[in-house]
Amino acid sequence: LQGALAVCLVGSALPASALPGFDEVRRAFQPSDTLILSHEGAIDKYIGDSVMAFWGAPEIQDDHAARACRAALAIRAALAADPGSPAIRIGIQSGPTLVGNIGAPGRLNYTLVGDTVNVAQRLEQLGKSVSPAERTTILIAAATFDHLRGSQVRTEKVGEMQMTGTDKLILVHRL
């Protein structure tokens, strides 16, 4: 696998009894789902108010990073056009990942695991502190940035950041 994307809806965690909250989550996921798929990504799973998607499996996509970034930018544009949509944060990381039927006998899921996935999720979380006032924050790591050379995706360097759960510094860019 080559790239992972984590999308989190900000402030959308509501008790199950709050039915209007389900409409908000569905309204945010619908364009995200459609745009991920239209950029030839695959949706791995929904985790609470988040969606995990990936590019580059089962078939290699040389432009996986550009596809993931274009999907993220399209999600931002779609939600910006809907004033009632929630704020979101997106983290994108590129790198090797284990993908396939993972789990225990009787409970296998086609999914992805590894440091690349963890960094994508941590980048999404980092958006809370990097851009707290933005409705949509999209952060990518240096590995994804390196794959964007020659594409028309524009980035802004944020700087080296400490990721939760690791002592490594990661160079972060914002779309």
Side-chain angles (χ1 to χ4, degrees):
L1 173 76
Q2 300 167 331
L5 172 142
V7 178
C8 180
L9 311 177
V10 178
S12 64
L14 297 169
S17 61
L19 292 177
F22 292 112
D23 288 336
E24 178 184 53
V25 171
R26 187 178 65 234
R27 184 179 345 160
F29 278 153
Q30 191 280 323
S32 299
D33 295 358
T34 301
L35 292 165
I36 288 166
L37 295 173
S38 73
H39 287 86
E40 298 184 43
I43 296 170
D44 178 37
K45 67 181 68 132
Y46 300 93
I47 308 163
D49 59 359
S50 300
V51 61
M52 175 66 75
F54 60 92
W55 281 258
E59 296 178 10
I60 293 174
Q61 296 167 319
D62 291 333
D63 62 344
H64 69 277
R67 290 174 194 246
C69 290
R70 285 193 301 265
L73 291 167
I75 292 166
R76 177 169 62 193
L79 294 177
D82 179 359
S85 67
I88 64 167
R89 295 185 305 266
I90 300 173
I92 303 173
Q93 170 64 322
S94 297
T97 303
L98 179 63
V99 63
N101 290 318
I102 300 171
R107 183 72 172 119
L108 294 176
N109 286 312
Y110 186 82
T111 190
L112 58 156
V113 296
D115 194 48
T116 299
V117 177
N118 296 337
V119 171
Q121 193 267 334
R122 289 177 179 136
L123 285 165
E124 174 271 311
Q125 291 177 344
L126 188 63
K128 294 178 200 176
S129 58
V130 170
S131 303
E134 287 185 26
R135 270 187 61 70
T136 303
T137 302
I138 305 168
L139 299 179
I140 67 170
T144 300
F145 175 79
D146 291 343
H147 284 285
L148 293 175
R149 297 190 197 289
S151 75
Q152 296 189 1
V153 177
R154 295 178 186 253
T155 69
E156 171 190 342
K157 185 176 177 181
V158 174
E160 287 191 332
M161 308 293 285
Q162 180 83 37
M163 295 287 122
T164 305
T166 181
D167 53 1
K168 292 189 279 185
L169 291 176
I170 295 179
L171 182 58
V172 176
H173 294 259
R174 174 181 18 228
L175 298 186

